[in-house]
């Protein structure tokens, strides 16, 4: 009986394609694996539920709730979600396949834009509001530039919700990340007249959810070209303390979902998601592959092996926030 029940659950977890909306479906499935993010949305519901700009939260929860419903109900929820999204981003008001990272960034930034209004509502209710996007995805990076002659220093702090990494074929995600943080010599004219400086990057703060985007598409001669270089990744991503301003020991992240692009063009191909199956206890077989309505069981080992050349977005949760199996 248990096996049959799990098969029913798996079959019902898919999302229908409304016409080239696999980029939305795959991204939403990845977001729904983020327990802390979903819990934060529920926790703040008393604040945002009556505000116009909270519709993004409402529609995400609606899609989550209808995963076990009939296909028509899912289509209605997904249509409401997209219609609301394109009200703010009209360049997505079409039936073309769009870029999944761009879609996710715009959706998350729009949710964050309304936090000032939500904070006022929370204050009137004598409670605190913590934006789920800030609480889970936001992190600050410090860039420090030091003149190699006079030692003059300048620093810039920038906020991000996605970390972008250049694809370096036949290497690992860990190495790509560390290469981007390692000190390097850059050309920069100092007031003293010297043109070379050292450049370092540090995490001033770390997110609960670290989303890594691999730069799969490059523009050459005004045309987007797919880079399908193989990048090794593992279940654990470790950030050494030496690259963190406020951490005394290395910080570990656990992989919970991967959005992959299968194809050769930004306008063609197909998006899929591999994610932790939160409906079951953690085990080597507790991952699912979501391809629109089609859902099948997989394992973390198969995901790591099969997605080296197609992984586009990788979602990691800070290990303290999710127990590893």
């Amino acid at each position: 009986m248990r096996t049959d029940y799990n098969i029913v659950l798996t079959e019902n977890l898919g999302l229908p394609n409304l016409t080239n909306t696999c980029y939305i479906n795959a991204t939403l499935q990845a977001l729904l694996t983020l327990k802390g993010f979903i819990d934060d949305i529920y926790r703040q519901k008393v604040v945002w539920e009556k505000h116009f700009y909270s519709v993004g939260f409402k529609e995400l929860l609606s899609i989550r709730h209808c995963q076990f419903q009939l296909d028509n109900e899912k289509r209605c929820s997904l249509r409401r979600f997209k219609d609301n999204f394109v009200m703010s981003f009209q360049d997505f008001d079409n039936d073309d396949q769009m870029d999944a990272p761009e879609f996710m960034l715009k959706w998350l930034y729009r949710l964050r834009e309304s936090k000032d209004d939500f904070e006022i509502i929370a204050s009137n209710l004598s409670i605190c509001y913590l934006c789920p996007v800030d609480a889970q995805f936001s992190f600050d990076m410090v860039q420090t530039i030091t003149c190699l002659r006079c030692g003059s220093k300048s620093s810039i702090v920038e906020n991000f919700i996605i970390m972008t990494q250049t694809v370096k074929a036949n290497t690992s995600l860990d190495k790509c990340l560390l290469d981007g943080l390692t000190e390097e010599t850059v050309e920069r004219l100092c007031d003293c007249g010297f043109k070379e400086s050292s450049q370092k990057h540090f995490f001033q703060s770390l997110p609960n959810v670290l989303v890594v985007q691999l730069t799969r598409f490059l523009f050459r001669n005004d045309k987007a070209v797919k880079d399908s270089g193989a990048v090794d990744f593992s279940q654990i991503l470790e950030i050494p303390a030496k690259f963190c301003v406020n951490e005394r020991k290395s910080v570990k992240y656990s992989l919970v979902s991967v959005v992959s692009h299968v194809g050769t063009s930004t306008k063609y191909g197909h998006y899929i998601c591999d994610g932790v199956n939160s409906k079951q206890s953690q085990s080597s077989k507790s991952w699912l592959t979501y391809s629109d309505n089609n859902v099948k069981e997989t394992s973390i080992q198969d995901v790591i092996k099969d997605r080296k050349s197609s992984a586009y977005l990788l979602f990691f949760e800070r290990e303290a926030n999710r127990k590893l199996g």
Side-chain angles (χ1 to χ4, degrees):
M1 289 295 292
R2 182 178 179 181
T3 301
D4 293 338
Y5 178 66
N6 286 337
I7 290 174
V8 172
L9 287 181
T10 299
E11 289 179 346
N12 287 346
L13 287 171
L15 296 174
N17 193 316
L18 303 182
T19 304
N20 290 325
T21 55
C22 57
Y23 70 96
I24 294 178
N25 291 347
T27 303
L28 293 180
Q29 295 285 18
L31 290 170
L32 289 173
T33 67
L34 306 176
K35 184 177 183 302
F37 180 53
I38 300 301
D39 286 349
D40 276 355
I41 294 175
Y42 277 115
R43 194 176 297 117
Q44 307 284 348
K45 186 176 179 180
V46 67
V47 175
W48 57 253
E49 62 181 341
K50 296 181 179 180
H51 193 283
F52 174 76
Y53 288 110
S54 68
V55 69
F57 291 140
K58 291 178 182 177
E59 296 304 338
L60 180 64
L61 296 185
S62 173
I63 291 168
R64 183 174 187 263
H65 292 156
C66 77
Q67 279 187 304
F68 300 106
Q69 305 301 320
L70 297 175
D71 201 61
N72 284 340
E73 294 184 49
K74 295 181 183 182
R75 287 183 178 274
C76 289
S77 290
L78 287 167
R79 175 55 61 191
R80 287 195 302 269
F81 181 96
K82 185 178 180 184
D83 287 348
N84 174 260
F85 179 76
V86 301
M87 286 177 63
S88 299
F89 305 104
Q90 294 183 3
D91 51 325
F92 280 75
D93 190 10
N94 54 59
D95 290 331
D96 297 337
Q97 179 172 278
M98 305 296 282
D99 186 61
E102 182 184 3
F103 158 70
M104 189 181 79
L105 268 175
K106 288 186 173 183
W107 186 73
L108 290 176
Y109 275 127
R110 192 189 65 169
L111 291 178
R112 190 160 73 165
E113 286 174 358
S114 57
K115 68 178 181 179
D116 290 343
D117 290 343
F118 293 156
E119 287 171 355
I120 293 173
I121 295 172
S123 178
N124 292 334
L125 295 172
S126 299
I127 58 178
C128 293
Y129 175 77
L130 181 59
C131 173
V133 177
D134 281 341
Q136 296 298 322
F137 298 96
S138 178
F139 63 96
D140 293 328
M141 295 290 297
V142 181
Q143 179 191 68
T144 300
I145 297 176
T146 306
C147 176
L148 292 178
R149 174 192 280 175
C150 71
S152 174
K153 289 187 178 182
S154 62
S155 295
I156 301 173
V157 179
E158 292 185 272
N159 180 261
F160 299 91
I161 57 177
I162 285 183
M163 170 164 275
T164 303
Q165 288 295 315
T166 301
V167 171
K168 296 179 180 179
N170 302 314
T171 187
S172 68
L173 179 61
D174 300 70
K175 189 176 187 306
C176 289
L177 176 65
L178 297 184
D179 284 350
L181 296 173
T182 300
E183 182 177 359
E184 61 180 342
T185 299
V186 296
E187 185 174 328
R188 178 179 177 273
L189 181 61
C190 179
D191 291 340
C192 74
F194 200 64
K195 294 183 179 180
E196 289 189 344
S197 298
S198 67
Q199 178 177 273
K200 295 180 182 179
H201 291 87
F202 298 93
F203 285 96
Q204 181 164 291
S205 61
L206 285 166
N208 288 323
V209 176
L210 180 62
V211 184
V212 179
Q213 175 190 348
L214 298 177
T215 52
R216 287 293 181 191
F217 294 98
L218 305 174
F219 279 91
R220 295 171 184 164
N221 299 322
D222 297 325
K223 183 179 179 180
V225 178
K226 175 79 176 285
D227 187 339
S228 298
V231 177
D232 292 324
F233 59 91
S234 61
Q235 190 172 6
I236 298 297
L237 179 67
E238 186 170 352
I239 299 177
K242 67 179 181 179
F243 294 119
C244 305
V245 175
N246 298 311
E247 302 291 340
R248 294 184 178 180
K249 59 182 182 179
S250 296
V251 178
K252 292 183 179 181
Y253 284 86
S254 171
L255 183 68
V256 293
S257 53
V258 180
V259 171
S260 299
H261 178 270
V262 182
T264 59
S265 167
T266 55
K267 298 298 183 182
Y268 304 99
H270 185 54
Y271 282 99
I272 60 174
C273 171
D274 299 287
V276 169
N277 182 6
S278 59
K279 309 302 179 187
Q280 296 182 1
S281 60
Q282 294 297 298
S283 70
S284 62
K285 283 291 185 182
S286 63
W287 276 61
L288 296 174
T289 298
Y290 303 90
S291 178
D292 293 328
N293 255 336
N294 298 314
V295 183
K296 65 179 183 180
E297 291 185 346
T298 187
S299 67
I300 180 61
Q301 290 82 4
D302 286 340
V303 173
I304 291 171
K305 180 183 67 174
D306 296 339
R307 307 300 182 217
K308 293 179 181 181
S309 298
S310 60
Y312 198 6
L313 289 170
L314 299 101
F315 296 73
F316 295 87
E317 283 193 336
R318 194 161 177 164
E319 197 171 276
N321 298 340
R322 179 185 284 269
K323 185 178 179 181
L324 257 182

